[in-house]
Amino acid sequence: MLARVWSAALVGIDAVKVGVEVDVAGGLPGIVVVGLPDAAVQESRERVKAALKNAGYAVPMRKIVINLTPADLRKEGPCFDLPIGIGILAASEQVNVELFEQTLFLGEVSLDGALRPVAGVLAIAAAAQRLGMQKLVIPKDNVREAAVVKGLQVYGFQTITEVTDFLNQPDRYSPFQLDSAEELVRVRFHELDLKDVKGQSHARRALEIAAAGGHNLIFVGPPGSGKTMLARRLPGILPHLDFEEALEVTQIHSVAGLLKDRGSLIGDRPFRSPHHSASGPSLVGGGSFPRPGEISLAHRGILFLDELTEFKRDVLEFLRQPLEDGQVTISRTRQSVSFPAKFTLVASTNPCPCGYFGDTIQPCTCSPRQREQYWAKLSGPLMDRIDLQVAVNRLKPEEITQQGSGEASAAVRQRVEVARQLAHQRFQDASLHCNAEMQSRHIRQWCRLDDSIRMLLENAIRKLGLSARATDRILKVARTIADLAGEEGLQTHHVAEAIQYRTIDRMQ
């Protein structure tokens, strides 16, 4: 007998509907899996066979052929265990097949018949809803993750026996219900606060601008000046993710298998901080079956590169295209996969190899040649894409010993949220989320220049050698500064403040 069960395979952060066709016919007993399965799918033959026997079902002593369609799409992972098992039971007439056409099955099966969670369930649930499937049957540990998708009935079970009971008596079971809004609120928190930072008013101002406009930022200063401390407090002043953004971010982490609490949407913006020994593929993503890298895991959040000049130059060059396009495309022989990568780059570095160039207390021991080689790791095109370039100086003695605390993150976040709301109203017809995402046509529309601003910009271009891209980024920052001030049009002082953040383009 022939039976067909629906499942799904991941392609990037999307999913493709996969048919699991099972044919039980005459011939030597055995199970054959075709349709470009990987090793984990091939191994499912033995897992499913043992699980069905241990759960009390009869495995037909005949030839069983399992075809995974479409046949030209690579299938990977243990998520096909459950649909293969249910397909074998259906082909041997041990389970009711009435719900098969409207139901998608997914899950790993243990040898005792228990269902184990799998990665990427949120992406598959979203695809199932989009493809018109009515029901999704998955392991119980995945049910809260999938239930945030509206318009889809999600059923979670602990064993394959429970799944067959559901198929034979569906009226006895109800889909899992979840209040997605409550799930989003429940995970919103951040423990690092700006009030712990002493002094550094200039750097704190840059952090506020970066948060309000989504601008890339680099801190340059001697060791111990507070560069890393400042950067790690940026997430605390960012506005929380809205529901659509949280769904998108959670979907990426689900595909990567990094969703630690499978019952929660990610409500805080991601903060990823890879070590400077990270390779290019770990940063942008890759593998024979492409998976998201650090820049995609930082989508809608922060990618923090501490000690930027310690990263390999070729690794840093991987950042140029994602910073410009907001996505990264990974091409393989059989497929090309795109991952979203709209992140804010925050970096820190010393001004020279010894770390003390320009310091007022400790002299620099580096030669001009050493400093030139040190900064040569950062190409001009990469620095062009960093909007805010801030020098962080050593704290004064009286600042170190002061007893009072600085302004708290909550107060700064309120101003950031007001500025973001102004930008949201401005961009409601443009599909933009923040000022940093503006293109040339948007800059011409919302960053109009009068004669005094134009003259100021022309002088800055001549003196600093700014490129057209750097000039556009100055105007984006100026737009954010105006939003923080609650002003509709750009003023000369907004642009002047933005220009001062471009003075470390090439520090030697």
Side-chain angles (χ1 to χ4, degrees):
M1 182 179 174
L2 175 66
R4 183 176 64 183
V5 179
W6 292 113
S7 187
L10 291 171
V11 179
I13 63 167
D14 296 319
V16 176
K17 191 176 180 182
V18 171
V20 180
E21 300 174 340
V22 181
D23 180 58
V24 178
L28 293 175
I31 301 177
V32 179
V33 181
V34 297
L36 284 182
D38 74 342
V41 180
Q42 290 284 8
E43 291 171 354
S44 67
R45 297 175 298 176
E46 304 303 325
R47 284 195 301 272
V48 171
K49 184 177 179 180
L52 293 179
K53 286 184 177 180
N54 292 329
Y57 297 101
V59 179
M61 296 299 294
R62 307 174 71 182
K63 184 176 182 179
I64 301 174
V65 178
I66 300 168
N67 180 38
L68 306 177
T69 62
D72 61 346
L73 176 69
R74 295 281 297 181
K75 292 47 170 217
E76 64 163 334
C79 61
F80 296 102
D81 288 4
L82 178 59
I84 288 174
I86 295 299
I88 292 174
L89 294 178
S92 57
E93 300 181 342
Q94 298 181 67
V95 69
N96 194 338
V97 300
E98 290 182 4
L99 299 181
F100 277 20
E101 282 303 313
Q102 57 183 301
T103 306
L104 191 145
F105 297 84
L106 196 75
E108 179 184 346
V109 178
S110 297
L111 297 185
D112 60 355
L115 301 184
R116 295 174 55 84
V118 292
V121 168
L122 180 55
I124 291 173
Q129 189 274 337
R130 186 175 64 252
L131 293 170
M133 303 297 288
Q134 297 180 13
K135 297 177 173 60
L136 178 65
V137 174
I138 53 177
K140 190 172 183 179
D141 288 343
N142 285 124
V143 71
R144 297 182 71 88
E145 176 185 348
V148 299
V149 177
K150 302 298 183 183
L152 183 68
Q153 299 175 29
V154 179
Y155 297 84
F157 299 104
Q158 292 181 319
T159 65
I160 196 170
T161 303
E162 294 179 0
V163 177
T164 58
D165 288 342
F166 162 71
L167 293 172
N168 292 327
Q169 304 178 71
D171 295 338
R172 293 179 52 192
Y173 295 86
S174 300
F176 183 81
Q177 301 294 329
L178 180 71
D179 188 334
S180 301
E182 289 186 0
E183 286 293 297
L184 185 58
V185 171
R186 185 169 64 86
V187 297
R188 288 178 169 173
F189 70 94
H190 202 279
E191 59 185 13
L192 299 179
D193 201 297
L194 267 178
K195 67 181 181 182
D196 300 327
V197 178
K198 296 180 179 180
Q200 305 296 4
S201 58
H202 184 58
R204 291 170 64 102
R205 171 65 171 173
L207 275 182
E208 184 174 340
I209 294 171
H215 302 290
N216 301 321
L217 167 68
I218 183 171
F219 287 129
V220 181
S225 57
K227 303 183 298 294
T228 302
M229 186 179 188
L230 283 160
R232 291 190 178 278
R233 279 153 179 78
L234 180 55
I237 63 174
L238 289 171
H240 295 303
L241 296 169
D242 60 31
F243 179 78
E244 294 301 325
E245 290 176 326
L247 196 62
E248 192 175 8
V249 170
T250 307
Q251 185 171 321
I252 296 172
H253 283 71
S254 174
V255 168
L258 299 178
L259 207 57
K260 296 180 180 179
D261 184 356
R262 297 184 183 275
S264 299
L265 280 172
I266 296 177
D268 282 324
R269 296 184 182 272
F271 184 88
R272 305 293 300 182
S273 180
H275 190 260
H276 59 73
S277 62
S279 64
S282 71
L283 207 61
V284 301
S288 55
F289 294 95
R291 285 289 181 265
E294 291 292 338
I295 62 175
S296 293
L297 293 172
H299 181 62
R300 301 295 180 198
I302 306 297
L303 177 67
F304 177 47
L305 303 183
D306 200 7
E307 301 298 340
L308 183 66
T309 47
E310 297 301 321
F311 285 79
K312 295 180 180 178
R313 181 185 172 108
D314 59 336
V315 172
L316 293 178
E317 292 304 297
F318 282 121
L319 296 172
R320 288 165 55 176
Q321 182 254 340
L323 284 172
E324 200 70 26
D325 300 339
Q327 68 175 12
V328 58
T329 301
I330 301 171
S331 297
R332 294 291 181 265
T333 304
R334 293 182 177 273
Q335 63 180 346
S336 180
V337 176
S338 293
F339 294 111
K342 291 184 177 179
F343 60 93
T344 298
L345 174 65
V346 178
S348 70
T349 186
N350 295 328
C352 65
C354 78
Y356 294 100
F357 178 66
D359 188 56
T360 57
I361 299 177
Q362 188 161 338
C364 174
T365 59
C366 304
S367 67
R369 177 62 177 168
Q370 287 176 315
R371 291 196 295 270
E372 182 180 347
Q373 291 176 338
Y374 182 77
W375 279 93
K377 295 181 180 180
L378 305 182
S379 66
L382 178 61
M383 292 298 289
D384 249 3
R385 290 168 168 83
I386 300 179
D387 308 357
L388 304 167
Q389 303 168 7
V390 182
V392 181
N393 299 317
R394 186 196 296 264
L395 288 176
K396 299 176 181 178
E398 59 270 23
E399 291 176 323
I400 296 176
T401 58
Q402 69 180 7
Q403 296 298 318
S405 59
E407 188 177 21
S409 293
V412 178
R413 188 193 302 120
Q414 289 181 354
R415 296 196 296 270
V416 168
E417 289 176 343
V418 171
R420 286 261 186 160
Q421 185 60 35
L422 289 174
H424 178 73
Q425 294 173 1
R426 184 188 309 124
F427 301 143
Q428 56 185 351
D429 297 326
S431 300
L432 302 178
H433 288 79
C434 58
N435 291 329
E437 296 180 9
M438 287 194 295
Q439 302 298 319
S440 296
R441 64 183 184 277
H442 306 127
I443 295 174
R444 287 193 300 269
Q445 181 178 356
W446 291 306
C447 301
R448 298 187 182 278
L449 310 181
D450 58 25
D451 291 340
S452 60
I453 294 177
R454 187 174 291 106
M455 185 178 299
L456 177 63
L457 270 178
E458 290 174 357
N459 289 333
I461 293 170
R462 292 190 188 96
K463 292 180 179 180
L464 300 178
L466 300 175
S467 67
R469 180 190 291 116
T471 304
D472 282 350
R473 290 183 177 269
I474 286 175
L475 293 175
K476 293 178 186 180
V477 172
R479 180 66 266 172
T480 299
I481 294 171
D483 289 342
L484 285 168
E487 298 181 15
E488 183 176 349
L490 290 189
Q491 304 296 326
T492 305
H493 62 276
H494 300 149
V495 179
E497 182 178 357
I499 290 173
Q500 72 172 337
Y501 295 118
R502 301 294 309 191
T503 55
I504 320 178
D505 273 293
R506 297 297 292 173
M507 188 170 182
Q508 298 181 8

